[in-house]
Coordinates of all heavy atoms in Angstrom, one line a residue:
M111 N 0.8 -1.2 0.0 CA 0.0 0.0 0.0 C 0.9 1.2 0.0 O 1.9 1.3 0.7 CB -0.9 0.0 1.2 CG -1.9 1.1 1.3 SD -3.1 1.0 2.6 CE -4.2 -0.2 1.9
N112 N 0.6 2.2 -0.8 CA 1.3 3.4 -1.0 C 1.3 4.2 0.3 O 0.3 4.3 1.0 CB 0.6 4.2 -2.1 CG 1.4 5.4 -2.5 OD1 1.9 6.2 -1.6 ND2 1.5 5.7 -3.8
S113 N 2.5 4.8 0.7 CA 2.6 5.6 1.9 C 1.7 6.8 1.9 O 1.2 7.3 2.9 CB 4.0 6.0 2.2 OG 4.5 6.8 1.1
K114 N 1.5 7.4 0.7 CA 0.6 8.5 0.6 C -0.9 8.1 1.0 O -1.6 8.9 1.6 CB 0.6 9.1 -0.8 CG -0.2 10.4 -1.0 CD 0.0 11.0 -2.4 CE -0.9 12.3 -2.5 NZ -0.7 12.9 -3.8
I115 N -1.3 7.0 0.5 CA -2.6 6.5 0.9 C -2.7 6.3 2.4 O -3.7 6.6 3.0 CB -2.9 5.2 0.1 CG1 -3.0 5.5 -1.4 CG2 -4.2 4.5 0.6 CD1 -3.1 4.2 -2.3
K116 N -1.7 5.7 3.0 CA -1.7 5.5 4.4 C -1.8 6.8 5.2 O -2.6 7.0 6.1 CB -0.4 4.8 4.8 CG -0.3 3.4 4.3 CD 1.1 2.8 4.7 CE 1.4 1.7 3.8 NZ 2.8 1.3 4.0
Y117 N -1.1 7.8 4.7 CA -1.1 9.1 5.3 C -2.5 9.7 5.2 O -3.0 10.3 6.2 CB -0.1 10.1 4.6 CG -0.2 11.5 5.1 CD1 0.2 11.9 6.3 CD2 -0.9 12.4 4.3 CE1 0.1 13.2 6.7 CE2 -1.0 13.7 4.7 CZ -0.6 14.1 5.9 OH -0.7 15.4 6.3
L118 N -3.1 9.6 4.0 CA -4.5 10.1 3.8 C -5.5 9.4 4.7 O -6.4 10.1 5.3 CB -4.9 10.0 2.4 CG -4.1 10.9 1.4 CD1 -4.5 10.6 -0.1 CD2 -4.3 12.4 1.7
K119 N -5.3 8.1 4.9 CA -6.2 7.4 5.8 C -6.1 7.9 7.2 O -7.1 8.1 8.0 CB -6.0 5.9 5.7 CG -6.5 5.3 4.4 CD -6.3 3.8 4.4 CE -6.8 3.3 3.1 NZ -7.1 1.9 3.1
M120 N -4.8 8.1 7.7 CA -4.6 8.6 9.0 C -5.2 10.0 9.2 O -5.8 10.4 10.2 CB -3.1 8.6 9.3 CG -2.7 7.8 10.4 SD -0.9 7.6 10.7 CE -0.2 9.1 10.3
K121 N -5.0 10.8 8.1 CA -5.5 12.2 8.2 C -7.0 12.2 8.3 O -7.6 12.9 9.1 CB -5.1 13.0 6.9 CG -5.5 14.4 6.9 CD -5.0 15.1 5.6 CE -5.5 16.5 5.6 NZ -5.1 17.2 4.3
K122 N -7.7 11.3 7.5 CA -9.1 11.2 7.6 C -9.6 10.8 9.0 O -10.6 11.3 9.5 CB -9.6 10.2 6.5 CG -11.1 10.0 6.5 CD -11.8 11.3 6.0 CE -13.3 11.0 5.9 NZ -14.1 12.2 5.6
L123 N -8.9 9.8 9.6 CA -9.2 9.4 10.9 C -9.1 10.5 11.9 O -10.0 10.7 12.8 CB -8.3 8.2 11.4 CG -8.6 7.7 12.8 CD1 -10.0 7.2 13.0 CD2 -7.6 6.6 13.1
R124 N -8.0 11.3 11.8 CA -7.9 12.5 12.7 C -9.1 13.5 12.5 O -9.5 14.0 13.5 CB -6.6 13.2 12.4 CG -5.4 12.5 12.9 CD -4.1 13.3 12.7 NE -3.0 12.5 13.0 CZ -1.8 12.5 12.3 NH1 -1.7 13.3 11.2 NH2 -0.8 11.8 12.7
E125 N -9.5 13.7 11.3 CA -10.6 14.6 11.1 C -11.9 14.0 11.7 O -12.7 14.7 12.3 CB -10.8 14.8 9.6 CG -9.8 15.6 8.9 CD -9.9 15.6 7.4 OE1 -10.8 15.0 6.8 OE2 -9.0 16.2 6.7
L126 N -12.1 12.7 11.6 CA -13.3 12.0 12.2 C -13.3 12.1 13.7 O -14.3 12.3 14.3 CB -13.4 10.6 11.7 CG -13.8 10.4 10.2 CD1 -13.6 8.9 9.9 CD2 -15.2 10.9 10.0
I127 N -12.1 12.0 14.3 CA -12.0 12.0 15.7 C -12.4 13.4 16.3 O -13.0 13.5 17.3 CB -10.5 11.7 16.2 CG1 -10.3 10.2 16.0 CG2 -10.3 12.0 17.7 CD1 -8.8 9.8 16.2
A128 N -12.2 14.4 15.5 CA -12.6 15.8 15.9 C -14.1 15.9 15.9 O -14.7 16.7 16.6 CB -12.0 16.8 14.9
G129 N -14.8 15.0 15.2 CA -16.3 15.0 15.1 C -16.8 14.1 16.2 O -16.2 13.8 17.2
D130 N -18.1 13.8 16.0 CA -18.8 12.9 17.0 C -19.5 11.7 16.4 O -20.3 11.1 17.0 CB -19.7 13.7 17.8 CG -20.8 14.4 17.0 OD1 -20.8 14.3 15.8 OD2 -21.7 15.0 17.6
D131 N -19.1 11.3 15.2 CA -19.7 10.2 14.5 C -18.9 8.9 14.9 O -17.9 8.6 14.3 CB -19.7 10.4 13.0 CG -20.4 9.3 12.2 OD1 -20.8 8.3 12.9 OD2 -20.5 9.3 11.0
I132 N -19.3 8.3 15.9 CA -18.6 7.1 16.5 C -18.5 6.0 15.5 O -17.4 5.4 15.5 CB -19.4 6.6 17.8 CG1 -19.5 7.7 18.8 CG2 -18.7 5.4 18.4 CD1 -18.2 8.3 19.3
D133 N -19.5 5.7 14.7 CA -19.4 4.6 13.8 C -18.4 4.9 12.7 O -17.6 4.0 12.3 CB -20.8 4.4 13.1 CG -21.8 3.8 14.1 OD1 -21.4 3.1 15.0 OD2 -23.0 4.1 13.9
A134 N -18.3 6.1 12.2 CA -17.3 6.5 11.2 C -15.9 6.4 11.8 O -14.9 5.9 11.2 CB -17.5 7.9 10.7
I135 N -15.7 6.9 13.1 CA -14.4 6.8 13.8 C -14.0 5.3 13.9 O -12.9 5.0 13.6 CB -14.5 7.5 15.1 CG1 -14.7 9.0 15.0 CG2 -13.2 7.2 15.9 CD1 -15.0 9.7 16.3
K136 N -14.9 4.5 14.3 CA -14.6 3.1 14.5 C -14.2 2.4 13.2 O -13.3 1.7 13.1 CB -15.8 2.3 15.1 CG -15.5 0.8 15.4 CD -16.5 0.2 16.2 CE -16.4 -1.3 16.4 NZ -15.1 -1.9 16.1
A137 N -15.0 2.7 12.1 CA -14.7 2.2 10.8 C -13.3 2.6 10.3 O -12.5 1.7 9.8 CB -15.7 2.6 9.8
K138 N -12.9 3.8 10.4 CA -11.6 4.3 10.0 C -10.5 3.8 10.9 O -9.4 3.4 10.4 CB -11.6 5.8 9.9 CG -12.2 6.4 8.7 CD -11.5 6.0 7.5 CE -12.2 6.5 6.3 NZ -11.7 6.0 5.0
S139 N -10.8 3.6 12.2 CA -9.8 3.1 13.1 C -9.5 1.6 12.8 O -8.4 1.2 12.7 CB -10.4 3.2 14.5 OG -9.5 2.6 15.4
D140 N -10.6 0.9 12.4 CA -10.4 -0.5 12.0 C -9.6 -0.6 10.7 O -8.7 -1.5 10.6 CB -11.8 -1.2 11.9 CG -12.5 -1.5 13.2 OD1 -11.8 -1.4 14.3 OD2 -13.7 -1.7 13.2
E141 N -9.9 0.3 9.8 CA -9.2 0.3 8.5 C -7.7 0.6 8.7 O -6.8 0.0 8.2 CB -9.8 1.4 7.6 CG -9.3 1.4 6.2 CD -10.1 2.4 5.4 OE1 -11.3 2.6 5.6 OE2 -9.4 3.0 4.5
L142 N -7.4 1.6 9.6 CA -6.0 1.9 9.9 C -5.3 0.8 10.6 O -4.2 0.5 10.4 CB -6.0 3.2 10.8 CG -4.6 3.8 11.0 CD1 -4.0 4.1 9.7 CD2 -4.8 5.1 11.8
S143 N -6.0 0.1 11.5 CA -5.5 -1.1 12.2 C -5.1 -2.2 11.2 O -4.0 -2.8 11.3 CB -6.5 -1.7 13.2 OG -6.6 -0.8 14.3
N144 N -5.9 -2.4 10.2 CA -5.6 -3.4 9.1 C -4.3 -2.9 8.4 O -3.5 -3.8 8.0 CB -6.8 -3.5 8.2 CG -7.9 -4.2 8.8 OD1 -7.8 -5.0 9.8 ND2 -9.1 -4.0 8.3
V145 N -4.2 -1.7 8.1 CA -3.0 -1.2 7.4 C -1.8 -1.4 8.3 O -0.7 -1.9 7.8 CB -3.1 0.3 7.1 CG1 -1.8 0.9 6.6 CG2 -4.2 0.5 6.0
I146 N -1.9 -1.1 9.5 CA -0.7 -1.4 10.5 C -0.4 -2.8 10.5 O 0.8 -3.2 10.5 CB -1.1 -0.8 11.9 CG1 -1.1 0.7 11.8 CG2 -0.1 -1.2 12.9 CD1 -1.7 1.4 13.0
Q147 N -1.4 -3.7 10.5 CA -1.1 -5.1 10.5 C -0.4 -5.6 9.2 O 0.5 -6.4 9.3 CB -2.4 -5.9 10.7 CG -2.9 -5.9 12.1 CD -4.3 -6.6 12.2 OE1 -4.9 -7.0 11.2 NE2 -4.8 -6.7 13.4
E148 N -0.8 -5.0 8.1 CA -0.1 -5.3 6.8 C 1.4 -4.9 6.9 O 2.3 -5.6 6.4 CB -0.8 -4.6 5.7 CG -2.1 -5.1 5.3 CD -2.8 -4.3 4.2 OE1 -2.2 -3.5 3.6 OE2 -4.1 -4.5 4.1
I149 N 1.6 -3.7 7.5 CA 3.0 -3.2 7.6 C 3.8 -4.1 8.5 O 4.9 -4.5 8.2 CB 3.0 -1.8 8.2 CG1 2.4 -0.8 7.2 CG2 4.4 -1.3 8.6 CD1 2.1 0.6 7.7
G150 N 3.2 -4.5 9.6 CA 3.9 -5.5 10.5 C 4.2 -6.8 9.8 O 5.3 -7.4 10.0
A151 N 3.3 -7.3 9.0 CA 3.5 -8.6 8.3 C 4.6 -8.4 7.3 O 5.5 -9.3 7.2 CB 2.2 -9.0 7.6
K152 N 4.7 -7.3 6.6 CA 5.8 -7.1 5.7 C 7.1 -7.0 6.4 O 8.1 -7.6 5.9 CB 5.5 -5.8 4.8 CG 4.4 -6.0 3.8 CD 4.2 -4.8 3.0 CE 3.0 -5.0 2.1 NZ 2.7 -3.8 1.2
I153 N 7.2 -6.3 7.5 CA 8.4 -6.2 8.3 C 8.8 -7.6 8.7 O 10.0 -8.0 8.7 CB 8.2 -5.3 9.5 CG1 8.1 -3.8 8.9 CG2 9.4 -5.4 10.4 CD1 7.7 -2.8 10.0
Y154 N 7.9 -8.4 9.2 CA 8.2 -9.7 9.7 C 8.7 -10.6 8.6 O 9.7 -11.3 8.7 CB 6.9 -10.4 10.3 CG 7.1 -11.8 10.8 CD1 7.8 -12.0 12.0 CD2 6.7 -12.9 10.0 CE1 8.0 -13.3 12.4 CE2 6.8 -14.1 10.5 CZ 7.5 -14.4 11.7 OH 7.7 -15.7 12.1
Q155 N 8.1 -10.5 7.4 CA 8.5 -11.3 6.2 C 9.9 -10.9 5.8 O 10.8 -11.8 5.5 CB 7.6 -11.1 5.1 CG 6.2 -11.8 5.3 CD 5.2 -11.4 4.2 OE1 5.4 -10.5 3.4 NE2 4.1 -12.1 4.2
Q156 N 10.2 -9.6 5.8 CA 11.6 -9.2 5.5 C 12.6 -9.7 6.5 O 13.7 -10.1 6.1 CB 11.6 -7.7 5.4 CG 10.9 -7.1 4.2 CD 10.9 -5.5 4.3 OE1 11.2 -4.9 5.3 NE2 10.5 -4.9 3.1
A157 N 12.3 -9.6 7.8 CA 13.2 -10.1 8.8 C 13.4 -11.6 8.6 O 14.5 -12.1 8.8 CB 12.6 -9.8 10.2
Q158 N 12.4 -12.4 8.3 CA 12.5 -13.8 8.1 C 13.4 -14.1 6.9 O 14.2 -15.0 6.9 CB 11.1 -14.5 7.9 CG 10.3 -14.5 9.2 CD 10.9 -15.3 10.3 OE1 11.5 -16.4 10.0 NE2 10.9 -14.8 11.5
A159 N 13.2 -13.4 5.8 CA 14.0 -13.6 4.6 C 15.5 -13.3 4.9 O 16.3 -14.0 4.5 CB 13.5 -12.7 3.5
E160 N 15.7 -12.2 5.7 CA 17.1 -11.9 6.0 C 17.7 -13.0 6.9 O 18.9 -13.4 6.7 CB 17.2 -10.5 6.7 CG 16.9 -9.4 5.8 CD 16.8 -8.0 6.6 OE1 17.2 -8.0 7.8 OE2 16.4 -7.0 6.0
A161 N 17.0 -13.5 7.9 CA 17.5 -14.5 8.8 C 17.7 -15.8 8.0 O 18.8 -16.5 8.2 CB 16.5 -14.8 9.9
Q162 N 16.9 -16.1 7.0 CA 17.0 -17.3 6.2 C 18.3 -17.1 5.3 O 19.1 -18.1 5.2 CB 15.8 -17.5 5.3 CG 15.9 -18.8 4.6 CD 14.6 -19.1 3.8 OE1 13.8 -18.2 3.5 NE2 14.4 -20.3 3.3
A163 N 18.5 -16.0 4.8 CA 19.7 -15.7 3.9 C 21.0 -15.9 4.8 O 21.9 -16.4 4.3 CB 19.6 -14.3 3.3
Q164 N 20.9 -15.4 6.0 CA 22.1 -15.5 6.9 C 22.3 -17.0 7.2 O 23.5 -17.4 7.3 CB 21.9 -14.7 8.2 CG 22.0 -13.2 7.9 CD 21.7 -12.4 9.2 OE1 21.3 -13.0 10.2 NE2 21.9 -11.1 9.1
Q165 N 21.3 -17.7 7.5 CA 21.4 -19.1 7.8 C 22.0 -19.9 6.6 O 22.8 -20.8 6.7 CB 20.1 -19.8 8.2 CG 19.7 -19.3 9.6 CD 18.3 -19.9 9.9 OE1 17.6 -20.4 9.1 NE2 17.9 -19.7 11.2
Q166 N 21.5 -19.6 5.4 CA 22.0 -20.2 4.2 C 23.5 -19.9 4.0 O 24.3 -20.7 3.6 CB 21.2 -19.8 3.0 CG 19.8 -20.5 3.0 CD 19.0 -20.0 1.8 OE1 19.3 -19.0 1.1 NE2 17.8 -20.6 1.6
Q167 N 23.9 -18.6 4.2 CA 25.2 -18.2 4.1 C 26.1 -19.0 5.1 O 27.2 -19.4 4.8 CB 25.4 -16.7 4.3 CG 26.7 -16.2 4.0 CD 26.8 -14.7 4.1 OE1 25.9 -14.1 4.7 NE2 27.9 -14.1 3.6
A168 N 25.6 -19.1 6.3 CA 26.4 -19.8 7.4 C 26.5 -21.3 7.0 O 27.4 -21.9 7.3 CB 25.7 -19.6 8.7
G169 N 25.4 -21.8 6.4 CA 25.4 -23.2 6.0 C 26.5 -23.5 4.9 O 27.0 -24.6 4.8
A170 N 26.7 -22.5 4.0 CA 27.7 -22.6 3.0 C 29.1 -22.7 3.6 O 30.0 -23.3 3.1 CB 27.6 -21.5 2.0
D171 N 29.3 -22.0 4.7 CA 30.6 -22.0 5.4 C 30.3 -22.4 6.8 O 30.0 -21.6 7.7 CB 31.2 -20.6 5.4 CG 32.6 -20.6 6.0 OD1 33.1 -21.6 6.4 OD2 33.2 -19.5 6.1
P172 N 30.5 -23.7 7.2 CA 30.1 -24.2 8.5 C 30.9 -23.5 9.6 O 30.5 -23.5 10.8 CB 30.5 -25.7 8.4 CG 31.1 -26.0 7.1 CD 31.0 -24.7 6.3
N173 N 32.1 -22.9 9.3 CA 32.9 -22.3 10.4 C 32.6 -20.8 10.5 O 33.2 -20.1 11.3 CB 34.4 -22.5 10.1 CG 34.8 -23.9 10.2 OD1 34.3 -24.6 11.1 ND2 35.7 -24.4 9.4
A174 N 31.7 -20.3 9.7 CA 31.3 -18.9 9.7 C 30.7 -18.5 11.1 O 29.8 -19.2 11.6 CB 30.3 -18.5 8.7
G175 N 31.3 -17.6 11.7 CA 30.8 -17.1 13.0 C 31.3 -17.9 14.2 O 31.1 -17.6 15.3
A176 N 31.9 -19.1 13.9 CA 32.3 -20.0 15.0 C 33.5 -19.5 15.7 O 33.8 -19.6 16.8 CB 32.5 -21.4 14.5
G177 N 34.4 -18.8 14.9 CA 35.6 -18.3 15.4 C 36.7 -19.4 15.7 O 36.3 -20.6 15.6
D178 N 37.9 -19.1 15.9 CA 38.9 -20.0 16.2 C 39.1 -20.1 17.7 O 39.6 -19.2 18.3 CB 40.2 -19.6 15.5 CG 41.3 -20.6 15.6 OD1 41.1 -21.7 16.0 OD2 42.5 -20.3 15.2
N179 N 38.8 -21.3 18.2 CA 38.9 -21.5 19.7 C 40.3 -21.9 20.2 O 40.5 -22.2 21.3 CB 37.9 -22.5 20.1 CG 36.5 -21.9 20.0 OD1 36.3 -20.7 20.0 ND2 35.5 -22.8 19.8
S180 N 41.3 -21.9 19.3 CA 42.6 -22.4 19.7 C 43.3 -21.4 20.6 O 44.3 -21.7 21.3 CB 43.5 -22.7 18.5 OG 43.7 -21.5 17.7
D181 N 42.9 -20.1 20.6 CA 43.5 -19.1 21.4 C 43.0 -19.0 22.9 O 43.6 -18.3 23.7 CB 43.4 -17.7 20.8 CG 44.1 -17.7 19.4 OD1 44.8 -18.6 19.1 OD2 44.0 -16.6 18.8
D182 N 41.9 -19.6 23.1 CA 41.3 -19.3 24.5 C 42.0 -20.1 25.5 O 42.8 -21.0 25.3 CB 39.8 -19.6 24.5 CG 39.4 -21.1 24.2 OD1 40.4 -21.9 24.2 OD2 38.3 -21.4 24.1
D183 N 41.8 -19.7 26.8 CA 42.5 -20.3 27.9 C 41.7 -21.4 28.6 O 42.0 -21.8 29.7 CB 42.8 -19.2 29.0 CG 43.8 -18.2 28.4 OD1 44.6 -18.5 27.6 OD2 43.7 -17.0 28.8
T184 N 40.7 -21.9 27.9 CA 39.9 -23.0 28.4 C 40.6 -24.3 28.4 O 41.3 -24.6 27.4 CB 38.6 -23.1 27.6 OG1 37.9 -21.9 27.5 CG2 37.7 -24.2 28.2
I185 N 40.6 -25.0 29.5 CA 41.2 -26.3 29.6 C 40.1 -27.3 29.9 O 39.4 -27.2 30.9 CB 42.3 -26.3 30.8 CG1 43.3 -25.2 30.5 CG2 42.9 -27.7 30.9 CD1 44.3 -25.0 31.6
D186 N 40.1 -28.3 29.1 CA 39.1 -29.4 29.4 C 39.8 -30.4 30.3 O 40.9 -30.8 30.2 CB 38.8 -30.2 28.0 CG 37.9 -29.3 27.1 OD1 37.2 -28.5 27.6 OD2 38.1 -29.5 25.9
A187 N 39.1 -30.8 31.4 CA 39.6 -31.7 32.4 C 38.5 -32.5 33.0 O 37.4 -32.1 33.1 CB 40.3 -30.9 33.5
D188 N 38.9 -33.7 33.5 CA 37.9 -34.5 34.2 C 38.1 -34.2 35.7 O 39.2 -33.8 36.2 CB 38.2 -36.0 34.0 CG 38.0 -36.4 32.6 OD1 37.0 -35.9 32.0 OD2 38.7 -37.3 32.1
Y189 N 37.1 -34.3 36.5 CA 37.1 -34.0 37.9 C 36.2 -34.9 38.6 O 35.3 -35.5 38.1 CB 36.9 -32.5 38.2 CG 35.4 -32.1 37.9 CD1 34.5 -32.1 38.9 CD2 35.0 -31.7 36.6 CE1 33.1 -31.8 38.6 CE2 33.7 -31.3 36.3 CZ 32.8 -31.4 37.4 OH 31.5 -31.0 37.1
E190 N 36.5 -35.0 39.9 CA 35.6 -35.9 40.8 C 35.3 -35.1 42.0 O 36.1 -34.4 42.6 CB 36.4 -37.1 41.1 CG 35.7 -38.1 42.0 CD 36.5 -39.3 42.3 OE1 37.3 -39.8 41.5 OE2 36.4 -39.8 43.4
V191 N 34.0 -35.1 42.4 CA 33.5 -34.3 43.5 C 33.7 -35.2 44.7 O 33.3 -36.4 44.8 CB 32.1 -33.9 43.4 CG1 31.6 -33.2 44.7 CG2 31.9 -33.0 42.2
K192 N 34.4 -34.7 45.8 CA 34.7 -35.5 47.0 C 33.9 -34.9 48.1 O 33.8 -33.7 48.3 CB 36.2 -35.5 47.4 CG 37.0 -36.2 46.3 CD 38.4 -36.2 46.8 CE 39.3 -37.0 45.8 NZ 40.7 -37.1 46.2
D193 N 33.2 -35.8 48.9 CA 32.4 -35.3 50.0 C 33.4 -35.2 51.2 O 34.2 -36.0 51.4 CB 31.3 -36.3 50.4 CG 30.2 -36.3 49.3 OD1 30.0 -35.3 48.7 OD2 29.7 -37.4 49.1
D194 N 33.2 -34.2 52.0 CA 34.0 -34.0 53.2 C 33.6 -34.8 54.4 O 32.5 -35.0 54.7 CB 34.1 -32.5 53.6 CG 34.9 -31.7 52.6 OD1 35.8 -32.3 52.0 OD2 34.6 -30.5 52.4

């Protein structure tokens, strides 16, 4: 949906709020809510597409983002807990 159309719908709702026609206000409010839901859905779809692209890129290089752990000071060791 065109951003100019969204703006005009919001402007119309503001005009209606200034009046006292409750049914018209509710109808425009519902219409604006639907527009907002569409925007949210598009944002969600874009985020999912980006995440999927990142996962595919990481799948192409299994070591991507894993880093080289040979420099860390971690020591693997076995231990036994003794009761006092």
Side-chain angles (χ1 to χ4, degrees):
M111 182 175 285
N112 186 318
S113 61
K114 185 175 180 181
I115 294 171
K116 293 174 202 170
Y117 171 77
L118 292 174
K119 287 183 181 200
M120 239 172 38
K121 184 177 176 185
K122 180 67 176 174
L123 179 59
R124 286 185 187 139
E125 291 171 2
L126 289 172
I127 289 173
D130 59 354
D131 186 357
I132 301 299
D133 291 332
I135 293 171
K136 182 169 176 14
K138 282 296 176 186
S139 178
D140 290 345
E141 188 177 326
L142 190 57
S143 292
N144 289 337
V145 169
I146 291 170
Q147 287 177 351
E148 289 175 16
I149 293 169
K152 287 181 183 180
I153 291 171
Y154 179 77
Q155 289 171 352
Q156 288 175 348
Q158 290 297 317
E160 289 174 9
Q162 186 178 17
Q164 288 176 353
Q165 287 176 350
Q166 287 175 350
Q167 186 177 16
D171 183 6
N173 293 325
D178 184 10
N179 291 334
S180 63
D181 293 357
D182 65 7
D183 295 329
T184 304
I185 300 172
D186 290 330
D188 293 327
Y189 66 93
E190 182 179 323
V191 177
K192 295 184 179 182
D193 293 328
D194 290 331

